[in-house]
Amino acid sequence: MPFWPFSNSINNMHQLIDGKATAAAIRQEIAAEVEKLLAAGQRRPHLAAVLVGNDGGSETYVANKIKACEDAGFTSTLLRFDSNISEAALLAEVAKLNADEQIDGFIVQLPLPGHINAEKVNESIDPRKDVDGFHAVNIGRMVLNLPCYLPATPHGIIELLKRYNINTQGKHCVVLGRSHIVGSPVSILLARNTQPGNCTVTLCHSRTAHLKEHLLQADIIVAALGKPEFVKADMVKEGAIVIDVGTTRVSDSSRKSGFRLAGDVDFEQVAPKCSYITPVPGGVGPMTIAMLLKNTLHAAKKDFYG
Ligand code: GUN
């Protein structure tokens, strides 16, 4: 029971972190950079996306990436393959993209069908063109704080914290989920000696004991476990900063599409306790694409690898 009996009066004081508006601003900055490249006689940055099969989520993500390229003034190429493409054939396509001087960077959309070894495909991408930042070379360089492509979603989270002037130094951050795409890299980025960064990070996962006790210690929660509305109000400290990375499709017959996107946080319950919170949709999601464009711009300018 708080000493101050009017603790409710500080409720609902949370500030929404608007990823949609922030991403739009970043995309405009990138478009302006493209104009500068063109004025200097360079060609447009060129991103290629490889899509294998017809996964609904992947189709949407890749279509959004291609559209964002157009809006920013990039050239884009979508390479589609049937879900039964062999691993060898896909590796041959990656080799072609590695060698194509007209392509600055490319991504292979995940997940891949079960018969293809995704790690093998990932490691076959030239790190200089790995604008997803998933290759072991880029991950290693990230850990060492060397110039590299940072994975888009974790980088988007860092950029949101930066643009909202949120001081993370000395804060205790609890990350939920240890995926290679979000949980593991964001825990590394937040622990680095940078601003945003300098957090004390606890990385929780499916085998973590006493999860609620960890969460209640958190000044910052990054929820990236892929379980809709998992984080409830009784798991969150008053005044915490909550970053929701979840984007699970849950069926919703009231929508034309038949589904809605659900975050990992029960927003209605949790938001009143927070100092800052990201919504779903419109929080971290739009930042992922903006940061992919940023990496592709870096690739076109050969900023990291010469
Ligand atoms: N699948 C889910 N997120 C991503 C991403 O950021 N990049 C790729 N390539 N696949 C994904």
Side-chain angles (χ1 to χ4, degrees):
M1 188 66 182
F3 165 72
W4 192 27
F6 306 115
S7 64
N8 271 347
S9 64
I10 61 165
N11 278 355
N12 294 311
M13 291 299 283
H14 67 276
Q15 186 176 340
L16 213 56
I17 298 181
D18 188 341
K20 198 173 166 193
T22 309
I26 293 170
R27 285 165 60 166
Q28 278 194 353
E29 292 162 17
I30 293 170
E33 287 277 319
V34 173
E35 291 307 314
K36 280 195 215 160
L37 287 183
L38 296 178
Q42 276 203 44
R43 63 162 171 71
R44 294 176 185 279
H46 188 170
L47 175 77
V50 175
L51 178 58
V52 179
N54 302 93
D55 175 80
S58 294
E59 292 266 1
T60 308
Y61 292 137
V62 170
N64 289 340
K65 289 172 186 177
I66 295 289
K67 166 86 171 55
C69 281
E70 277 172 30
D71 292 348
F74 289 13
T75 309
S76 61
T77 300
L78 171 58
L79 296 164
R80 300 194 66 125
F81 300 102
D82 207 79
S83 60
N84 62 13
I85 186 174
S86 70
E87 184 181 286
L90 186 58
L91 289 170
E93 294 296 336
V94 169
K96 273 198 249 169
L97 291 167
N98 283 339
D100 187 339
E101 287 185 0
Q102 295 303 308
I103 287 174
D104 298 302
F106 65 96
I107 62 161
V108 177
Q109 188 66 26
L110 302 173
L112 289 170
H115 67 278
I116 295 176
N117 182 335
E119 276 88 40
K120 200 167 165 185
V121 173
N122 184 43
E123 291 309 301
S124 74
I125 296 172
D126 184 336
R128 290 170 297 188
K129 293 194 174 190
D130 167 39
V131 287
D132 257 333
F134 294 167
H135 191 282
V137 166
N138 280 309
I139 302 278
R141 290 176 69 97
M142 172 184 72
V143 173
L144 296 171
N145 216 352
L146 293 170
C148 65
Y149 303 112
L150 296 177
T153 303
H155 194 190
I157 293 168
I158 297 293
E159 198 63 28
L160 283 175
L161 294 169
K162 191 188 279 177
R163 292 191 183 229
Y164 275 79
N165 283 320
I166 294 171
N167 181 12
T168 59
Q169 175 154 302
K171 300 273 168 68
H172 185 184
C173 177
V174 172
V175 177
L176 285 180
R178 57 179 157 185
S179 74
H180 292 168
I181 295 183
V182 185
S184 293
V186 84
S187 68
I188 291 164
L189 290 175
L190 285 166
R192 294 198 311 185
N193 185 3
T194 53
Q195 166 56 33
N198 281 317
C199 290
T200 303
V201 178
T202 302
L203 178 55
C204 296
H205 46 75
S206 51
R207 309 293 167 91
T208 294
H210 313 298
L211 181 63
K212 189 171 163 185
E213 282 83 343
H214 288 301
L215 282 168
L216 283 168
Q217 299 282 321
D219 304 307
I220 303 172
I221 294 172
V222 178
L225 73 166
K227 289 196 176 168
E229 289 159 14
F230 178 89
V231 178
K232 302 289 184 192
D234 67 349
M235 303 173 181
V236 178
K237 186 167 82 174
E238 196 77 45
I241 296 157
V242 174
I243 309 292
D244 188 352
V245 188
T247 47
T248 308
R249 286 183 170 193
V250 296
S251 51
D252 182 343
S253 56
S254 71
R255 305 280 175 106
K256 211 169 105 189
S257 61
F259 67 86
R260 67 181 171 87
L261 285 186
D264 288 346
V265 177
D266 188 331
F267 186 91
E268 293 302 316
Q269 271 193 19
V270 171
K273 294 188 85 172
C274 298
S275 54
Y276 291 90
I277 186 166
T278 61
V280 175
V284 174
M287 293 298 288
T288 297
I289 293 187
M291 302 325 281
L292 173 66
L293 295 182
K294 188 128 191 161
N295 276 349
T296 308
L297 181 66
H298 283 306
K301 291 165 72 178
K302 304 211 183 309
D303 281 340
F304 301 145
Y305 290 97

